[in-house]
Amino acid sequence: METEPVQTEEKSDSVTVTQESQQPSDPGGENNKNKSNSEENHTNSDSIKPSEQDPVETVEFKIVYNKQKYDVTFPTNETVAKLKAHVQTLTGVPSAMQKIMFKGLAKDESTLKDLKVTKGAKIMVVGSTLNDVLSVTKPSPQELQETTKATAAAKEPLSQQKEHKRVLDKHGKPDDVPVGIKNVKEPLPHMPLSGMYNKSGGKVRLTFKLEVDQIWLGTKERTEKIPMNSIKAVVSEAIKDHEEYHILGLQLGPTEASRYWIYWVPAQYVDAIKDTVLGKWQYF
């Protein structure tokens, strides 16, 4: 009989131990809450980790201006307009007065990647500094008088003006002139433009030497090497009844009287000639 209290006490202890060992783990309890917070912190930590940006792709090439060469490294995703701003710091030529030549005239909105500029490529820059512009010789009174006459005659189509009509009627259309295409714009051909003639009827060949910023004006007698930045204007107009060809004038001096006229220029190349020689200058 004396053992019953002892058994009761052991039972009580056993029950107590069992209750402690079988305490339910509450799904919303502290352990899970801490675990959730830990996972959340880990997730947040990953989300705010700065992403690794791809390195900017650049290309090394040479800028050529007035026979001087500049080594340039530039991002391939930058535009020609941005490149012009950089070129201005190198050459002193304002960006608005530049022409960037790479396989033809490069447009401002094109990127170097669009142009497929590769390592070691040469990009030509054509343009004049402000000092060059300000140093242009003022026209003489005689030149001003001739300009006034030319302006008065300009109201009539070029091919119908007496001086040009006489040339066209006398020499006619050359047999060896390239085929002309109206309402089409094409880049300059890789070969010289030939088959045309000048005011005296002499055959003319135009060669564009972009690497030295020159136009070579070739005739039977000689070849004139004309710096592009010395040409003040380029004018053209379709020939009546032959709109696939133009009369084109290169203004070599400060007035219209200094224009060198070329007849039967294929119409598809006229805009490319203007852009190559003048770039944005034609809009000033």
Side-chain angles (χ1 to χ4, degrees), residues 16 30 55 71 87 185 198 211 222 261:
T16 303
E30 288 298 324
D71 293 320
V87 169
K185 297 180 181 180
N198 57 22
E211 65 274 14
R222 63 182 181 275
W261 293 103

Side-chain angles (χ1 to χ4, degrees), residues 116-267:
K116 296 180 172 58
V117 177
T118 57
K119 183 176 180 180
K122 291 182 180 180
I123 295 181
M124 306 297 172
V125 177
V126 179
S128 301
T129 64
L130 290 176
N131 289 336
D132 293 335
V133 176
L134 295 175
S135 64
V136 174
T137 307
K138 293 182 179 180
S140 66
Q142 182 181 355
E143 289 173 329
L144 287 173
Q145 186 178 5
E146 291 174 348
T147 300
T148 302
K149 292 180 180 179
T151 304
K155 296 178 181 179
E156 191 177 12
L158 286 177
S159 61
Q160 298 301 301
Q161 291 177 23
K162 187 176 180 179
E163 62 171 323
H164 299 303
K165 191 174 186 304
R166 183 172 60 247
V167 175
L168 293 170
D169 290 344
K170 181 178 180 180
H171 301 288
K173 179 183 175 181
D175 295 331
D176 57 345
V177 71
V179 175
I181 308 172
K182 64 180 180 181
N183 301 324
V184 171
K185 297 180 181 180
E186 292 186 1
L188 290 176
H190 297 294
M191 302 297 290
L193 270 177
S194 59
M196 307 162 291
Y197 57 72
N198 57 22
K199 211 168 186 179
S200 63
K203 285 297 181 69
V204 173
R205 181 179 63 258
L206 287 178
T207 306
F208 296 87
K209 293 288 186 178
L210 302 181
E211 65 274 14
V212 290
D213 191 24
Q214 292 179 351
I215 289 183
W216 288 10
L217 191 59
T219 62
K220 184 179 179 180
E221 294 79 19
R222 63 182 181 275
T223 297
E224 295 285 349
K225 298 180 180 181
I226 305 171
M228 288 191 195
N229 59 12
S230 70
I231 299 174
K232 310 306 177 188
V234 180
V235 296
S236 72
E237 191 176 291
I239 299 174
K240 185 179 179 181
D241 299 327
H242 296 278
E243 283 75 15
E244 68 273 23
Y245 293 97
H246 279 224
I247 299 173
L248 185 139
L250 301 175
Q251 186 168 318
L252 306 179
T255 69
E256 295 178 6
S258 64
R259 288 176 179 172
Y260 184 95
W261 293 103
I262 304 172
Y263 301 84
W264 301 98
V265 178

